[in-house]
Amino acid sequence: MTTTETGTFDEASLVRRAKQGDSSAYSELVSKYERKVFRLAKNITQNDEDAEDVLQDAFLKAYEHLDDFQEQSKFYTWLVRIAVNEALMRLRKRKTDRTVPLDEPVDTGEETVVREIAVWEDDPEQRYGKTELRGILDESILSLKPAFRTVFQLRDIEELSTEETAELLGLSVPAVKSRLLRARLQLRERLTRFFKRKGDDVFAYL
Amino acid sequence: MLTCKEFLQELSDFLDETVDPGLRNNLEAHITACPNCFVILDTTKRTIQVYKGVDAQPIPEDVHLRLMRAVDRKAAARRQPNAT
């Protein structure tokens, strides 16, 4: 077992075993992270088929290059970088793609993103079942422009730094910050529709 | 006193605690005086928390099986580097 009694996942020892050729250790890493990598890939490519290809390619590439992985950083952070690169490559390859490349400038300037201001319930997640809550969150994040969604995904879900995000996406640090702000405000706005305190239907406009 | 617009421009850095102490004081003064911006700050913070707190959905079983098979093939190739 690689899960200790406290429930901590011993990633470092799995990585060491995998490096030494223990394929079952690598399979455990795959099982641990496949959901997160698939979600990441789907949020970037917006497509199940591409997301599956990215998922496979990322795990195979990581396996192939396992010896290059320096154990000072977390395995998952390293894996995320590989997965993001695979996903971006796939976006670029799409022949009929009409989406704007993620490293192109987007207007983050003057659009009004704060329209609704309402206090949320103390524990709004309790109002929805787990599946329903996931549905709300997935639908909300998919409604963002790709340029905003990817930055939110990397910064707030995968917890990469601003600098790492900028480097991966080929953006400047100010561009990452500005997109992150828009993404957070737009998601806040969407979630407010679901999470606001009942009977507290006060709208304010800025 | 900062305007609401100025407050919103700094909201992300304020949440990430990357603003310098002088600006932080001004931002804190603004939310003390402005209930709207206080709510925006609170609900934006909770937006981030709710996304962090929810696990990704399990992937479809067939996608999982194809991935595992691909990894197994790779592992076999690693064990026999000369095999074609």
Side-chain angles (χ1 to χ4, degrees):
Chain A
M1 278 303 279
T2 47
T3 308
T4 64
E5 278 173 21
T6 53
T8 318
F9 178 72
D10 190 357
E11 183 184 275
S13 95
L14 281 179
V15 171
R16 272 195 300 276
R17 280 170 46 206
K19 276 187 171 182
Q20 287 157 9
D22 178 350
S23 61
S24 71
Y26 192 70
S27 297
E28 274 197 58
L29 289 166
V30 173
S31 297
K32 166 80 177 169
Y33 294 125
E34 59 181 7
R35 297 175 176 203
K36 289 175 79 175
V37 173
F38 190 70
R39 175 177 66 182
L40 167 70
K42 198 173 164 186
N43 279 344
I44 296 178
T45 63
Q46 293 183 78
N47 165 326
D48 278 347
E49 211 175 297
D50 282 342
E52 180 175 351
D53 287 344
V54 169
L55 175 77
Q56 279 208 10
D57 291 350
F59 275 114
L60 294 181
K61 200 167 230 180
Y63 199 25
E64 215 170 288
H65 295 276
L66 207 51
D67 290 335
D68 302 335
F69 169 59
Q70 306 292 317
E71 288 165 50
Q72 293 102 330
S73 64
K74 280 188 168 179
F75 173 74
Y76 182 65
T77 309
W78 182 68
L79 182 64
V80 164
R81 298 176 71 94
I82 295 173
V84 171
N85 280 323
E86 291 294 324
L88 294 178
M89 210 152 58
R90 207 153 287 270
L91 278 189
R92 281 184 218 114
K93 269 190 207 157
R94 266 191 212 159
K95 284 186 184 137
T96 55
D97 194 18
R98 283 173 300 155
T99 57
V100 182
L102 294 176
D103 53 0
E104 258 182 31
V106 287
D107 179 19
T108 53
E110 292 304 312
E111 62 189 290
T112 312
V113 287
V114 178
R115 289 184 201 90
E116 187 169 355
I117 302 167
V119 176
W120 285 11
E121 293 211 24
D122 285 341
D123 216 348
E125 297 96 315
Q126 299 304 316
R127 202 195 283 169
Y128 301 95
K130 209 173 174 183
T131 312
E132 202 181 354
L133 179 66
R134 273 196 190 128
I136 291 170
L137 298 184
D138 288 350
E139 195 186 302
S140 300
I141 201 169
L142 282 171
S143 75
L144 297 181
K145 282 184 186 165
F148 297 162
R149 183 173 60 237
T150 308
V151 169
F152 182 83
Q153 176 82 38
L154 296 185
R155 285 284 287 107
D156 283 340
I157 300 181
E158 310 302 346
E159 303 188 341
L160 299 189
S161 69
T162 304
E163 289 72 19
E164 284 171 323
T165 305
E167 189 203 324
L168 263 177
L169 299 179
L171 294 168
S172 68
V173 165
V176 169
K177 287 186 166 197
S178 146
R179 291 177 189 202
L180 181 64
L181 174 64
R182 299 295 140 187
R184 285 171 166 178
L185 287 174
Q186 286 175 18
L187 284 177
R188 182 207 75 85
E189 183 106 3
R190 290 207 151 245
L191 294 190
T192 293
R193 292 179 207 163
F194 297 98
F195 293 166
K196 68 184 169 193
R197 197 191 286 162
K198 282 201 172 124
D200 202 18
D201 232 347
V202 181
F203 293 84
Y205 294 85
L206 287 186
Chain B
M1 178 77 174
L2 295 175
T3 64
C4 294
K5 200 173 169 185
E6 287 165 337
F7 176 84
L8 285 180
Q9 286 304 323
E10 302 296 336
L11 178 67
S12 256
D13 285 343
F14 188 41
L15 285 168
D16 295 337
E17 298 178 4
T18 54
V19 290
D20 63 57
L23 179 58
R24 195 177 65 225
N25 287 342
N26 289 338
L27 294 165
E28 280 167 358
H30 182 86
I31 48 168
T32 311
C34 176
N36 279 350
C37 285
F38 176 80
V39 171
I40 294 169
L41 174 74
D42 178 62
T43 50
T44 307
K45 192 193 286 177
R46 288 166 70 183
T47 297
I48 299 165
Q49 281 166 354
V50 75
Y51 272 98
K52 279 195 208 295
V54 167
D55 291 336
Q57 307 211 35
I59 65 173
E61 188 60 21
D62 57 325
V63 174
H64 167 76
L65 290 174
R66 282 196 291 273
L67 172 62
M68 285 308 188
R69 274 202 296 273
V71 169
D72 285 346
R73 279 197 300 274
K74 194 70 159 183
R78 232 171 112 104
R79 280 192 294 273
Q80 296 170 300
N82 296 326
T84 50

